[in-house]
Amino acid sequence: MFKVKKDSELGQLCNTSNPNRIYYLPQEVADTSITGLAKAVTMMLNLEMSINRGAESKDLLPTILSVSRLFNLT
């Protein structure tokens, strides 16, 4: 496991275009439950597999909306 002391180092490891963004991520997910995050990750992995199998975009939209509803983004 990596031991990172600075947000900028973690940003570089994650290949983010803006390494300083790492500072704000914990604040953005502070009110989110672990269960919600686990569901979102599962749904996104299933979405990725569907994309890799060549699913049409109209078939992907319900999953994308479901993920956003987990976090009240719609």
Side-chain angles (χ1 to χ4, degrees):
M1 184 181 293
F2 291 103
K3 201 118 188 169
V4 179
K5 295 181 181 178
K6 295 182 182 178
D7 291 338
S8 59
E9 291 174 12
L10 183 58
Q12 288 176 332
L13 287 171
C14 296
N15 291 326
T16 61
S17 59
N18 181 359
N20 295 323
R21 175 111 174 84
I22 300 298
Y23 171 81
Y24 296 101
L25 291 176
Q27 297 169 19
E28 291 176 8
V29 298
D31 295 332
T32 305
S33 71
I34 296 295
T35 304
L37 290 172
K39 284 181 185 178
V41 168
T42 302
M43 293 169 81
M44 296 301 287
L45 288 172
N46 289 333
L47 183 65
E48 181 181 14
M49 288 189 310
S50 295
I51 291 168
N52 289 336
R53 280 187 249 133
E56 293 187 29
S57 59
K58 64 179 175 126
D59 298 329
L60 304 175
L61 187 59
T63 303
I64 295 168
L65 291 173
S66 295
V67 171
S68 68
R69 285 187 188 119
L70 283 174
F71 306 107
N72 296 320
L73 300 175
T74 58

